[in-house]
Amino acid sequence: MGLDIVVFKSLSAMEREFPGYRFGREPMTGECWVIYPEGINLDWDAVTVRSWRVGNIMHVAALRDAIADRLGEGSRLERIVLYSGSHTGDAIEEPSFV
């Protein structure tokens, strides 16, 4: 078990990068997919800004401790991202970044 983080490209970035394509967007994760032209599937690297394997449970705990030392206990990064080394399916919505 461990923690992987993915940041998807925005809809506007996808439209700039692929002019003439139309995209659907998953509202929770922001992940985009091609709806026009039909039958086009873009590679993972084309739709993501960054995909990162943080590490296993022990790595996440060590990173959480290091972040707490630098930012203080209970930082947003600690509460929203590094709270567990084994959670799955989470999405961080835009208001959380403000």
Side-chain angles (χ1 to χ4, degrees):
M1 293 197 139
L3 180 61
D4 298 288
I5 296 173
V6 176
V7 177
F8 292 104
K9 290 180 182 175
S10 68
L11 180 60
S12 60
M14 295 296 291
E15 290 171 339
R16 280 191 309 273
E17 193 170 335
F18 298 95
Y21 284 35
R22 286 195 317 237
F23 295 91
R25 181 180 174 273
E26 208 293 314
M28 178 71 107
T29 65
E31 182 176 4
C32 295
W33 65 91
V34 179
I35 56 175
Y36 178 84
E38 291 184 30
I40 301 291
N41 292 312
L42 298 174
D43 291 335
W44 184 250
D45 291 338
V47 298
T48 59
V49 173
R50 181 79 161 107
S51 179
W52 178 43
R53 172 72 174 175
V54 176
N56 65 25
I57 293 170
M58 294 302 294
H59 289 122
V60 173
L63 185 55
R64 184 176 56 242
D65 291 343
I67 294 297
D69 287 345
R70 293 190 190 272
L71 301 179
E73 291 286 327
S75 70
R76 267 194 190 150
L77 183 58
E78 182 184 355
R79 286 190 335 259
I80 296 173
V81 179
L82 300 173
Y83 66 90
S84 167
S86 63
H87 59 255
T88 62
D90 294 353
I92 302 172
E93 298 180 49
E94 286 181 49
S96 297
F97 291 106
V98 177

